[in-house]
Amino acid sequence: MGILEGKRILVTGVITDSSIAYHVARMCQEQGATVVLTGYGRLSLVERIAQRLPEAPPVLELDVTDEEQLAGLADRVREHVDGIDGIVHSIGFTPQEALGGNFLNTSWQDVATAMHISTFSLKSLSTALLPLMKDGGSIVAMDFDNSVTYPVYDWMGVAKAGLASTARYLARYLGEHRVRVNLVSAGPLRTMAARSIPGFDELADSWPQRAPLGWDTGDPEPAARAVVALLSDWFPATTGETVHVDGGFHSTGA
Ligand SMILES: NC(=O)c1ccc[n+]([C@@H]2O[C@H](COP(=O)([O-])OP(=O)(O)OC[C@H]3O[C@@H](n4cnc5c(N)ncnc54)[C@H](O)[C@@H]3O)[C@@H](O)[C@H]2O)c1
């Protein structure tokens, strides 16, 4: 029996089979969960990727900046499952002008776009689905450690700092609903979002040498495993927490 037996999990953020969310969805199913996906943009592509999962899940359209789609999300999810036990937020986007060393010249408009999609969306998604979490549940979002600066990551780092704070406030406000909110802070992984960061290689190449456990930028499974664990009943008293899945990189000074 899997650790998610009987649970109903909504997973956002699948766009390719290298997406962290794809591996989370796969492992959720392997651990016994019923999965519903949301997809953004190229929906037919998401549907095609979804077919590769052990069981093809329904795919619902969701742009996290679209208030109408958010307002109708709970009803659309209800067509497939009668409630939700877990939500995976695996969404990030930053305009090119907000990355790659342009920190001092980035406009507010570009920063606002990054924050709307990468940060505020955790609140929007959580509140949109709260009516379906009648028995409590677990919300997990994907973080990239933001306690220090990195080359090229720029305003995405600021957006991730905001995401971490948003998760803590959600943990505070959703505790009374018995909903836990936690983050998995992953090391660099070669996904579509990562490829759009100019200079990502510079960031990624230093990781395996400094991480005490080493780090494989082509293997999203360790991060996905941590997400699945946090979705399960094995962290019943943990909320507002960040679990680092980065080979230990964050714990070393040099
Ligand atoms: N790849 C890494 O190195 C790494 C490391 C740590 C954390 N993360 C985080 O993991 C999460 C998933 O990223 P990934 O690396 O799997 O890349 P990915 O490109 O596979 O996933 C990013 C997802 O965000 C979605 N998205 C973008 N704009 C959206 C919108 N307006 N509405 C809804 N969805 C939208 C995309 O459709 C895509 O599915 C992100 O939050 C990312 O910051 C990534």
Side-chain angles (χ1 to χ4, degrees), residues 12-22 38-42 46 62-66 69 89-94 113 116-118 121 141-145 153 156 160 163 184-197 200 203-204 215 217 220 223 245:
T12 65
V14 172
I15 189 71
T16 68
D17 60 8
S18 64
S19 292
I20 298 169
Y22 174 83
T38 68
Y40 164 70
R42 288 176 290 169
V46 181
L62 180 65
D63 172 351
V64 281
T65 65
D66 185 326
Q69 286 187 12
H89 179 286
S90 191
I91 293 170
F93 175 78
T94 318
T113 300
H116 195 178
I117 298 174
S118 312
S121 62
M142 296 309 304
D143 193 14
F144 186 72
D145 183 54
Y153 205 55
M156 191 63 181
K160 286 298 192 194
L163 179 78
V184 169
S185 179
L189 293 164
R190 295 190 187 279
T191 62
M192 201 162 107
R195 276 199 296 276
S196 72
I197 299 174
F200 175 82
L203 190 65
W215 182 252
T217 58
V245 183

Short mmCIF file of all heavy atoms in Angstrom, two decimals, residues 12-22 38-42 46 62-66 69 89-94 113 116-118 121 141-145 153 156 160 163 184-197 200 203-204 215 217 220 223 245, ligand 1:
data_model
loop_
_atom_site.label_atom_id
_atom_site.label_comp_id
_atom_site.label_asym_id
_atom_site.label_seq_id
_atom_site.Cartn_x
_atom_site.Cartn_y
_atom_site.Cartn_z
N THR A 12 -0.19 21.19 -10.18
CA THR A 12 0.00 22.21 -11.22
C THR A 12 1.40 22.05 -11.80
O THR A 12 2.26 21.39 -11.21
CB THR A 12 -0.11 23.62 -10.62
OG1 THR A 12 0.98 23.81 -9.68
CG2 THR A 12 -1.43 23.84 -9.88
N GLY A 13 1.65 22.68 -12.95
CA GLY A 13 3.03 22.89 -13.40
C GLY A 13 3.65 21.84 -14.30
O GLY A 13 4.85 21.89 -14.54
N VAL A 14 2.84 20.91 -14.84
CA VAL A 14 3.42 19.96 -15.81
C VAL A 14 3.44 20.64 -17.18
O VAL A 14 2.42 21.15 -17.64
CB VAL A 14 2.58 18.67 -15.91
CG1 VAL A 14 3.10 17.79 -17.06
CG2 VAL A 14 2.61 17.91 -14.60
N ILE A 15 4.61 20.70 -17.81
CA ILE A 15 4.67 21.19 -19.19
C ILE A 15 5.50 20.24 -20.07
O ILE A 15 5.23 20.09 -21.25
CB ILE A 15 5.18 22.66 -19.27
CG1 ILE A 15 5.03 23.24 -20.68
CG2 ILE A 15 6.60 22.81 -18.79
CD1 ILE A 15 3.65 23.53 -21.13
N THR A 16 6.51 19.59 -19.48
CA THR A 16 7.28 18.56 -20.21
C THR A 16 7.47 17.39 -19.24
O THR A 16 7.15 17.49 -18.05
CB THR A 16 8.68 19.06 -20.63
OG1 THR A 16 9.47 19.22 -19.45
CG2 THR A 16 8.61 20.36 -21.39
N ASP A 17 8.08 16.30 -19.76
CA ASP A 17 8.32 15.19 -18.82
C ASP A 17 9.58 15.42 -17.99
O ASP A 17 9.97 14.55 -17.21
CB ASP A 17 8.28 13.83 -19.51
CG ASP A 17 9.33 13.71 -20.59
OD1 ASP A 17 10.17 14.62 -20.71
OD2 ASP A 17 9.30 12.70 -21.33
N SER A 18 10.21 16.60 -18.15
CA SER A 18 11.28 16.92 -17.19
C SER A 18 10.77 17.86 -16.09
O SER A 18 11.50 18.15 -15.13
CB SER A 18 12.51 17.53 -17.90
OG SER A 18 12.16 18.75 -18.50
N SER A 19 9.52 18.34 -16.23
CA SER A 19 8.95 19.19 -15.17
C SER A 19 9.01 18.46 -13.83
O SER A 19 8.69 17.27 -13.76
CB SER A 19 7.47 19.49 -15.46
OG SER A 19 7.33 20.30 -16.59
N ILE A 20 9.35 19.19 -12.77
CA ILE A 20 9.33 18.59 -11.43
C ILE A 20 7.92 18.03 -11.17
O ILE A 20 7.76 16.93 -10.65
CB ILE A 20 9.73 19.64 -10.37
CG1 ILE A 20 11.16 20.14 -10.62
CG2 ILE A 20 9.61 19.04 -8.96
CD1 ILE A 20 11.56 21.37 -9.80
N ALA A 21 6.91 18.80 -11.61
CA ALA A 21 5.52 18.39 -11.36
C ALA A 21 5.17 17.07 -12.03
O ALA A 21 4.34 16.30 -11.52
CB ALA A 21 4.57 19.49 -11.86
N TYR A 22 5.78 16.79 -13.18
CA TYR A 22 5.51 15.51 -13.86
C TYR A 22 5.93 14.35 -12.96
O TYR A 22 5.21 13.37 -12.79
CB TYR A 22 6.24 15.46 -15.21
CG TYR A 22 6.11 14.11 -15.89
CD1 TYR A 22 4.99 13.81 -16.65
CD2 TYR A 22 7.10 13.14 -15.74
CE1 TYR A 22 4.84 12.56 -17.25
CE2 TYR A 22 6.97 11.90 -16.34
CZ TYR A 22 5.84 11.62 -17.09
OH TYR A 22 5.71 10.38 -17.67
N THR A 38 -3.46 20.55 -13.52
CA THR A 38 -3.84 21.76 -14.23
C THR A 38 -2.71 22.09 -15.18
O THR A 38 -1.54 21.79 -14.90
CB THR A 38 -4.09 22.97 -13.29
OG1 THR A 38 -2.86 23.37 -12.70
CG2 THR A 38 -5.12 22.65 -12.23
N GLY A 39 -3.07 22.70 -16.30
CA GLY A 39 -2.05 23.06 -17.29
C GLY A 39 -2.23 24.50 -17.73
O GLY A 39 -3.34 25.04 -17.68
N TYR A 40 -1.13 25.10 -18.15
CA TYR A 40 -1.17 26.50 -18.58
C TYR A 40 -0.61 26.60 -20.00
O TYR A 40 0.41 25.96 -20.31
CB TYR A 40 -0.34 27.35 -17.63
CG TYR A 40 0.00 28.72 -18.19
CD1 TYR A 40 -1.01 29.68 -18.34
CD2 TYR A 40 1.29 29.05 -18.57
CE1 TYR A 40 -0.71 30.92 -18.85
CE2 TYR A 40 1.60 30.30 -19.07
CZ TYR A 40 0.59 31.23 -19.22
OH TYR A 40 0.88 32.46 -19.73
N GLY A 41 -1.26 27.40 -20.82
CA GLY A 41 -0.72 27.67 -22.16
C GLY A 41 -1.01 26.53 -23.11
O GLY A 41 -2.17 26.29 -23.44
N ARG A 42 0.06 25.81 -23.48
CA ARG A 42 -0.11 24.77 -24.50
C ARG A 42 -0.78 23.52 -23.90
O ARG A 42 -0.11 22.53 -23.57
CB ARG A 42 1.26 24.44 -25.10
CG ARG A 42 1.76 25.57 -25.99
CD ARG A 42 3.14 25.29 -26.50
NE ARG A 42 4.14 25.36 -25.45
CZ ARG A 42 5.39 24.95 -25.58
NH1 ARG A 42 5.79 24.41 -26.69
NH2 ARG A 42 6.25 25.08 -24.58
N VAL A 46 0.35 19.56 -22.64
CA VAL A 46 0.22 19.03 -21.27
C VAL A 46 -0.57 17.72 -21.31
O VAL A 46 -0.22 16.74 -20.65
CB VAL A 46 -0.46 20.06 -20.33
CG1 VAL A 46 -0.57 19.51 -18.92
CG2 VAL A 46 0.29 21.38 -20.33
N LEU A 62 -5.56 26.21 -16.30
CA LEU A 62 -5.43 27.21 -15.24
C LEU A 62 -4.25 28.14 -15.49
O LEU A 62 -3.08 27.74 -15.48
CB LEU A 62 -5.23 26.54 -13.86
CG LEU A 62 -5.08 27.55 -12.71
CD1 LEU A 62 -6.36 28.36 -12.52
CD2 LEU A 62 -4.68 26.86 -11.41
N ASP A 63 -4.61 29.41 -15.72
CA ASP A 63 -3.62 30.48 -15.70
C ASP A 63 -3.80 31.14 -14.34
O ASP A 63 -4.87 31.69 -14.05
CB ASP A 63 -3.92 31.47 -16.83
CG ASP A 63 -3.05 32.72 -16.77
OD1 ASP A 63 -2.34 32.91 -15.77
OD2 ASP A 63 -3.11 33.52 -17.72
N VAL A 64 -2.78 31.10 -13.50
CA VAL A 64 -2.96 31.57 -12.12
C VAL A 64 -3.16 33.09 -12.02
O VAL A 64 -3.44 33.59 -10.93
CB VAL A 64 -1.78 31.16 -11.19
CG1 VAL A 64 -1.90 29.72 -10.75
CG2 VAL A 64 -0.44 31.49 -11.79
N THR A 65 -3.03 33.79 -13.14
CA THR A 65 -3.31 35.24 -13.11
C THR A 65 -4.74 35.53 -13.60
O THR A 65 -5.14 36.69 -13.65
CB THR A 65 -2.32 36.02 -13.99
OG1 THR A 65 -2.51 35.64 -15.36
CG2 THR A 65 -0.88 35.77 -13.57
N ASP A 66 -5.49 34.50 -13.97
CA ASP A 66 -6.82 34.68 -14.53
C ASP A 66 -7.87 34.48 -13.42
O ASP A 66 -8.16 33.34 -13.02
CB ASP A 66 -7.03 33.67 -15.67
CG ASP A 66 -8.35 33.87 -16.40
OD1 ASP A 66 -9.34 34.26 -15.74
OD2 ASP A 66 -8.39 33.62 -17.61
N GLN A 69 -10.80 32.05 -14.15
CA GLN A 69 -10.42 30.62 -14.09
C GLN A 69 -10.25 30.17 -12.65
O GLN A 69 -10.64 29.06 -12.28
CB GLN A 69 -9.14 30.37 -14.88
CG GLN A 69 -9.34 30.41 -16.38
CD GLN A 69 -8.09 29.98 -17.13
OE1 GLN A 69 -7.15 29.44 -16.56
NE2 GLN A 69 -8.09 30.24 -18.43
N HIS A 89 1.96 23.21 -5.81
CA HIS A 89 2.23 24.45 -6.56
C HIS A 89 3.62 24.32 -7.15
O HIS A 89 4.61 24.34 -6.43
CB HIS A 89 2.14 25.64 -5.60
CG HIS A 89 2.42 26.98 -6.24
ND1 HIS A 89 3.68 27.38 -6.61
CD2 HIS A 89 1.59 28.00 -6.57
CE1 HIS A 89 3.62 28.58 -7.14
NE2 HIS A 89 2.36 28.99 -7.12
N SER A 90 3.69 24.16 -8.48
CA SER A 90 4.98 24.00 -9.14
C SER A 90 5.04 24.95 -10.33
O SER A 90 5.22 24.54 -11.47
CB SER A 90 5.16 22.53 -9.56
OG SER A 90 6.48 22.29 -9.98
N ILE A 91 4.88 26.22 -10.01
CA ILE A 91 4.68 27.26 -11.02
C ILE A 91 5.70 28.37 -10.83
O ILE A 91 5.89 28.86 -9.71
CB ILE A 91 3.25 27.85 -10.87
CG1 ILE A 91 2.21 26.79 -11.24
CG2 ILE A 91 3.09 29.11 -11.71
CD1 ILE A 91 0.80 27.19 -10.89
N GLY A 92 6.35 28.75 -11.90
CA GLY A 92 7.25 29.89 -11.82
C GLY A 92 7.42 30.52 -13.18
O GLY A 92 7.44 29.83 -14.20
N PHE A 93 7.50 31.84 -13.20
CA PHE A 93 7.79 32.55 -14.45
C PHE A 93 8.36 33.92 -14.11
O PHE A 93 7.86 34.60 -13.21
CB PHE A 93 6.53 32.73 -15.31
CG PHE A 93 6.81 33.57 -16.53
CD1 PHE A 93 7.46 33.02 -17.63
CD2 PHE A 93 6.47 34.92 -16.56
CE1 PHE A 93 7.76 33.80 -18.75
CE2 PHE A 93 6.76 35.71 -17.68
CZ PHE A 93 7.40 35.14 -18.77
N THR A 94 9.41 34.31 -14.82
CA THR A 94 9.98 35.66 -14.70
C THR A 94 10.29 36.16 -16.10
O THR A 94 10.91 35.43 -16.88
CB THR A 94 11.32 35.64 -13.93
OG1 THR A 94 11.19 34.77 -12.83
CG2 THR A 94 11.71 37.01 -13.45
N THR A 113 4.99 41.07 -12.77
CA THR A 113 4.61 39.83 -13.48
C THR A 113 5.22 38.62 -12.77
O THR A 113 4.54 37.61 -12.52
CB THR A 113 5.10 39.89 -14.95
OG1 THR A 113 4.50 41.01 -15.57
CG2 THR A 113 4.76 38.62 -15.71
N HIS A 116 3.40 38.06 -9.45
CA HIS A 116 2.01 37.62 -9.62
C HIS A 116 1.97 36.11 -9.89
O HIS A 116 1.23 35.36 -9.25
CB HIS A 116 1.38 38.40 -10.79
CG HIS A 116 -0.11 38.32 -10.83
ND1 HIS A 116 -0.87 38.96 -11.76
CD2 HIS A 116 -1.00 37.64 -10.06
CE1 HIS A 116 -2.16 38.70 -11.56
NE2 HIS A 116 -2.26 37.91 -10.53
N ILE A 117 2.83 35.69 -10.84
CA ILE A 117 2.80 34.28 -11.26
C ILE A 117 3.53 33.37 -10.27
O ILE A 117 3.07 32.26 -9.97
CB ILE A 117 3.40 34.13 -12.69
CG1 ILE A 117 2.56 34.91 -13.69
CG2 ILE A 117 3.51 32.64 -13.09
CD1 ILE A 117 3.12 34.96 -15.09
N SER A 118 4.65 33.83 -9.74
CA SER A 118 5.52 32.93 -8.96
C SER A 118 5.25 32.98 -7.46
O SER A 118 5.63 32.05 -6.74
CB SER A 118 6.99 33.29 -9.21
OG SER A 118 7.26 33.42 -10.58
N SER A 121 0.45 33.67 -6.57
CA SER A 121 -0.35 32.53 -7.05
C SER A 121 -0.49 31.43 -6.00
O SER A 121 -1.45 30.66 -6.03
CB SER A 121 0.26 31.94 -8.32
OG SER A 121 1.55 31.45 -8.05
N ALA A 141 4.71 23.73 -2.11
CA ALA A 141 5.17 24.57 -3.23
C ALA A 141 6.67 24.40 -3.42
O ALA A 141 7.40 24.06 -2.49
CB ALA A 141 4.83 26.04 -2.95
N MET A 142 7.12 24.64 -4.66
CA MET A 142 8.53 24.46 -5.01
C MET A 142 9.29 25.77 -4.85
O MET A 142 8.95 26.79 -5.44
CB MET A 142 8.65 23.99 -6.47
CG MET A 142 8.06 22.64 -6.75
SD MET A 142 8.62 21.34 -5.63
CE MET A 142 10.41 21.44 -5.86
N ASP A 143 10.37 25.69 -4.07
CA ASP A 143 11.18 26.87 -3.77
C ASP A 143 12.60 26.68 -4.31
O ASP A 143 13.01 25.55 -4.63
CB ASP A 143 11.23 27.02 -2.23
CG ASP A 143 11.78 28.37 -1.80
OD1 ASP A 143 11.88 29.28 -2.64
OD2 ASP A 143 12.09 28.49 -0.59
N PHE A 144 13.32 27.78 -4.45
CA PHE A 144 14.76 27.73 -4.69
C PHE A 144 15.36 28.61 -3.61
O PHE A 144 14.95 29.77 -3.49
CB PHE A 144 15.10 28.24 -6.10
CG PHE A 144 16.54 28.07 -6.47
CD1 PHE A 144 17.05 26.81 -6.76
CD2 PHE A 144 17.38 29.17 -6.54
CE1 PHE A 144 18.39 26.65 -7.10
CE2 PHE A 144 18.71 29.01 -6.89
CZ PHE A 144 19.22 27.75 -7.16
N ASP A 145 16.27 28.06 -2.83
CA ASP A 145 16.76 28.75 -1.63
C ASP A 145 17.04 30.23 -1.90
O ASP A 145 17.75 30.57 -2.84
CB ASP A 145 18.03 28.07 -1.13
CG ASP A 145 18.52 28.71 0.17
OD1 ASP A 145 17.72 28.79 1.11
OD2 ASP A 145 19.69 29.14 0.21
N TYR A 153 20.01 34.93 -11.03
CA TYR A 153 18.65 34.59 -10.59
C TYR A 153 17.82 35.84 -10.29
O TYR A 153 16.60 35.85 -10.42
CB TYR A 153 18.73 33.67 -9.37
CG TYR A 153 17.52 32.78 -9.16
CD1 TYR A 153 17.07 31.93 -10.16
CD2 TYR A 153 16.85 32.78 -7.95
CE1 TYR A 153 15.96 31.11 -9.96
CE2 TYR A 153 15.76 31.95 -7.74
CZ TYR A 153 15.32 31.13 -8.75
OH TYR A 153 14.22 30.31 -8.54
N MET A 156 13.88 36.71 -9.69
CA MET A 156 13.23 35.43 -9.35
C MET A 156 13.58 35.07 -7.91
O MET A 156 12.77 34.47 -7.20
CB MET A 156 13.69 34.33 -10.32
CG MET A 156 12.88 33.07 -10.21
SD MET A 156 11.13 33.32 -10.65
CE MET A 156 10.48 31.70 -10.38
N LYS A 160 10.98 34.33 -5.01
CA LYS A 160 11.02 33.11 -4.18
C LYS A 160 11.06 33.47 -2.69
O LYS A 160 10.47 32.75 -1.88
CB LYS A 160 12.23 32.25 -4.55
CG LYS A 160 12.08 31.52 -5.88
CD LYS A 160 10.91 30.55 -5.88
CE LYS A 160 10.91 29.61 -7.07
NZ LYS A 160 9.61 28.92 -7.24
N LEU A 163 7.64 34.00 -1.93
CA LEU A 163 6.91 32.73 -1.89
C LEU A 163 7.07 32.07 -0.52
O LEU A 163 6.11 31.56 0.06
CB LEU A 163 7.42 31.79 -2.99
CG LEU A 163 6.75 30.41 -3.04
CD1 LEU A 163 5.38 30.51 -3.73
CD2 LEU A 163 7.62 29.39 -3.79
N VAL A 184 9.33 22.77 -0.66
CA VAL A 184 10.52 21.96 -0.96
C VAL A 184 11.47 22.86 -1.74
O VAL A 184 11.12 23.38 -2.80
CB VAL A 184 10.15 20.71 -1.79
CG1 VAL A 184 11.42 20.04 -2.33
CG2 VAL A 184 9.36 19.73 -0.93
N SER A 185 12.64 23.08 -1.16
CA SER A 185 13.64 23.93 -1.81
C SER A 185 14.63 23.02 -2.54
O SER A 185 15.48 22.38 -1.91
CB SER A 185 14.35 24.77 -0.74
OG SER A 185 15.33 25.58 -1.36
N ALA A 186 14.48 22.96 -3.86
CA ALA A 186 15.28 22.01 -4.66
C ALA A 186 16.55 22.69 -5.18
O ALA A 186 16.58 23.90 -5.40
CB ALA A 186 14.45 21.51 -5.84
N GLY A 187 17.57 21.89 -5.39
CA GLY A 187 18.75 22.37 -6.11
C GLY A 187 18.42 22.53 -7.57
O GLY A 187 17.32 22.18 -8.01
N PRO A 188 19.37 23.06 -8.38
CA PRO A 188 19.07 23.33 -9.79
C PRO A 188 18.81 22.07 -10.60
O PRO A 188 19.53 21.08 -10.49
CB PRO A 188 20.34 24.04 -10.29
CG PRO A 188 21.39 23.75 -9.31
CD PRO A 188 20.73 23.46 -8.00
N LEU A 189 17.72 22.10 -11.40
CA LEU A 189 17.32 20.96 -12.23
C LEU A 189 17.08 21.44 -13.65
O LEU A 189 16.52 22.54 -13.85
CB LEU A 189 16.03 20.35 -11.65
CG LEU A 189 16.21 19.70 -10.28
CD1 LEU A 189 14.86 19.47 -9.60
CD2 LEU A 189 16.98 18.38 -10.41
N ARG A 190 17.49 20.63 -14.63
CA ARG A 190 17.41 21.07 -16.02
C ARG A 190 15.99 20.88 -16.57
O ARG A 190 15.68 19.88 -17.20
CB ARG A 190 18.44 20.33 -16.88
CG ARG A 190 19.84 20.71 -16.45
CD ARG A 190 20.94 20.25 -17.35
NE ARG A 190 22.21 20.54 -16.71
CZ ARG A 190 22.81 21.73 -16.73
NH1 ARG A 190 22.27 22.74 -17.39
NH2 ARG A 190 23.94 21.92 -16.09
N THR A 191 15.15 21.87 -16.33
CA THR A 191 13.77 21.86 -16.80
C THR A 191 13.60 23.02 -17.78
O THR A 191 14.52 23.80 -18.00
CB THR A 191 12.79 22.06 -15.63
OG1 THR A 191 13.07 23.35 -15.06
CG2 THR A 191 12.97 21.00 -14.55
N MET A 192 12.37 23.14 -18.33
CA MET A 192 12.12 24.23 -19.28
C MET A 192 12.30 25.59 -18.59
O MET A 192 12.92 26.49 -19.15
CB MET A 192 10.71 24.10 -19.82
CG MET A 192 10.52 24.82 -21.12
SD MET A 192 9.06 24.19 -21.93
CE MET A 192 7.98 25.58 -21.68
N ALA A 193 11.78 25.72 -17.36
CA ALA A 193 11.91 27.00 -16.64
C ALA A 193 13.39 27.32 -16.43
O ALA A 193 13.82 28.47 -16.58
CB ALA A 193 11.18 26.92 -15.30
N ALA A 194 14.19 26.31 -16.11
CA ALA A 194 15.62 26.53 -15.87
C ALA A 194 16.32 26.97 -17.15
O ALA A 194 17.17 27.87 -17.13
CB ALA A 194 16.26 25.25 -15.33
N ARG A 195 15.92 26.38 -18.28
CA ARG A 195 16.57 26.72 -19.56
C ARG A 195 16.32 28.18 -19.92
O ARG A 195 17.10 28.78 -20.67
CB ARG A 195 16.06 25.81 -20.68
CG ARG A 195 16.81 24.47 -20.73
CD ARG A 195 16.61 23.80 -22.08
NE ARG A 195 15.22 23.45 -22.32
CZ ARG A 195 14.65 22.33 -21.87
NH1 ARG A 195 15.36 21.46 -21.19
NH2 ARG A 195 13.40 22.07 -22.13
N SER A 196 15.24 28.76 -19.42
CA SER A 196 14.93 30.15 -19.78
C SER A 196 15.71 31.14 -18.92
O SER A 196 15.61 32.35 -19.12
CB SER A 196 13.43 30.40 -19.63
OG SER A 196 13.10 30.43 -18.25
N ILE A 197 16.51 30.64 -17.97
CA ILE A 197 17.32 31.54 -17.14
C ILE A 197 18.69 31.69 -17.79
O ILE A 197 19.46 30.72 -17.82
CB ILE A 197 17.47 30.99 -15.69
CG1 ILE A 197 16.09 30.86 -15.04
CG2 ILE A 197 18.39 31.87 -14.87
CD1 ILE A 197 16.11 30.19 -13.67
N PHE A 200 22.09 29.95 -16.46
CA PHE A 200 21.71 28.89 -15.51
C PHE A 200 22.87 27.91 -15.29
O PHE A 200 23.09 27.44 -14.18
CB PHE A 200 20.48 28.14 -16.04
CG PHE A 200 20.08 26.96 -15.20
CD1 PHE A 200 19.33 27.12 -14.04
CD2 PHE A 200 20.48 25.67 -15.54
CE1 PHE A 200 18.97 26.03 -13.26
CE2 PHE A 200 20.12 24.58 -14.76
CZ PHE A 200 19.36 24.76 -13.62
N LEU A 203 25.20 28.75 -12.58
CA LEU A 203 24.60 28.47 -11.28
C LEU A 203 24.66 26.96 -10.99
O LEU A 203 25.04 26.53 -9.90
CB LEU A 203 23.14 28.92 -11.35
CG LEU A 203 22.30 28.98 -10.10
CD1 LEU A 203 22.86 30.04 -9.18
CD2 LEU A 203 20.85 29.35 -10.47
N ALA A 204 24.29 26.17 -11.99
CA ALA A 204 24.16 24.73 -11.80
C ALA A 204 25.52 24.04 -11.65
O ALA A 204 25.66 23.09 -10.88
CB ALA A 204 23.40 24.12 -12.97
N TRP A 215 25.18 16.42 -6.41
CA TRP A 215 23.87 16.83 -6.94
C TRP A 215 23.80 16.51 -8.42
O TRP A 215 24.71 16.84 -9.18
CB TRP A 215 23.65 18.33 -6.71
CG TRP A 215 22.31 18.79 -7.20
CD1 TRP A 215 22.05 19.55 -8.29
CD2 TRP A 215 21.04 18.49 -6.61
NE1 TRP A 215 20.69 19.75 -8.43
CE2 TRP A 215 20.06 19.10 -7.40
CE3 TRP A 215 20.64 17.75 -5.48
CZ2 TRP A 215 18.70 19.01 -7.11
CZ3 TRP A 215 19.29 17.66 -5.20
CH2 TRP A 215 18.32 18.29 -5.99
N THR A 217 21.82 17.41 -11.66
CA THR A 217 20.87 18.41 -12.19
C THR A 217 19.87 17.78 -13.17
O THR A 217 18.94 18.44 -13.60
CB THR A 217 21.60 19.57 -12.90
OG1 THR A 217 22.40 19.02 -13.95
CG2 THR A 217 22.48 20.35 -11.94
N PRO A 220 15.11 14.86 -11.15
CA PRO A 220 14.12 15.55 -10.31
C PRO A 220 13.50 14.64 -9.24
O PRO A 220 12.71 15.10 -8.42
CB PRO A 220 13.05 15.99 -11.32
CG PRO A 220 13.23 15.13 -12.51
CD PRO A 220 14.57 14.48 -12.47
N ALA A 223 13.60 15.56 -5.34
CA ALA A 223 12.68 16.66 -4.99
C ALA A 223 11.24 16.15 -4.98
O ALA A 223 10.46 16.46 -4.08
CB ALA A 223 12.84 17.81 -5.97
N VAL A 245 16.08 20.07 -0.53
CA VAL A 245 16.47 18.86 -1.27
C VAL A 245 17.49 19.34 -2.30
O VAL A 245 17.18 19.56 -3.48
CB VAL A 245 15.24 18.22 -1.95
CG1 VAL A 245 15.66 16.92 -2.66
CG2 VAL A 245 14.16 17.92 -0.92
N1 LIG B 1 14.38 23.74 -12.20
C1 LIG B 1 14.98 24.18 -11.12
O1 LIG B 1 16.22 24.31 -11.07
C2 LIG B 1 14.17 24.52 -9.91
C3 LIG B 1 14.79 24.52 -8.65
C4 LIG B 1 14.04 24.87 -7.53
C5 LIG B 1 12.70 25.22 -7.68
N2 LIG B 1 12.15 25.20 -8.93
C6 LIG B 1 10.74 25.60 -9.04
O2 LIG B 1 9.98 24.47 -9.43
C7 LIG B 1 8.76 24.92 -10.02
C8 LIG B 1 8.52 24.16 -11.31
O3 LIG B 1 9.50 24.50 -12.27
P1 LIG B 1 10.25 23.44 -13.18
O4 LIG B 1 11.71 23.66 -12.97
O5 LIG B 1 9.66 22.10 -13.04
O6 LIG B 1 9.99 24.02 -14.66
P2 LIG B 1 8.79 23.82 -15.69
O7 LIG B 1 9.06 24.80 -16.79
O8 LIG B 1 8.66 22.40 -16.07
O9 LIG B 1 7.50 24.26 -14.86
C9 LIG B 1 7.10 25.61 -14.69
C10 LIG B 1 5.59 25.62 -14.83
O10 LIG B 1 5.03 26.90 -14.55
C11 LIG B 1 3.87 27.00 -15.36
N3 LIG B 1 3.36 28.38 -15.47
C12 LIG B 1 4.01 29.47 -15.94
N4 LIG B 1 3.18 30.53 -15.96
C13 LIG B 1 1.97 30.09 -15.46
C14 LIG B 1 0.71 30.71 -15.23
N5 LIG B 1 0.49 32.01 -15.51
N6 LIG B 1 -0.30 29.95 -14.72
C15 LIG B 1 -0.11 28.63 -14.42
N7 LIG B 1 1.06 27.99 -14.63
C16 LIG B 1 2.08 28.72 -15.15
C17 LIG B 1 4.33 26.46 -16.71
O11 LIG B 1 3.24 26.12 -17.55
C18 LIG B 1 5.13 25.24 -16.27
O12 LIG B 1 4.33 24.10 -16.23
C19 LIG B 1 8.91 26.44 -10.18
O13 LIG B 1 8.29 27.09 -9.09
C20 LIG B 1 10.41 26.62 -10.10
O14 LIG B 1 10.78 27.92 -9.71
C21 LIG B 1 12.83 24.86 -10.02
#
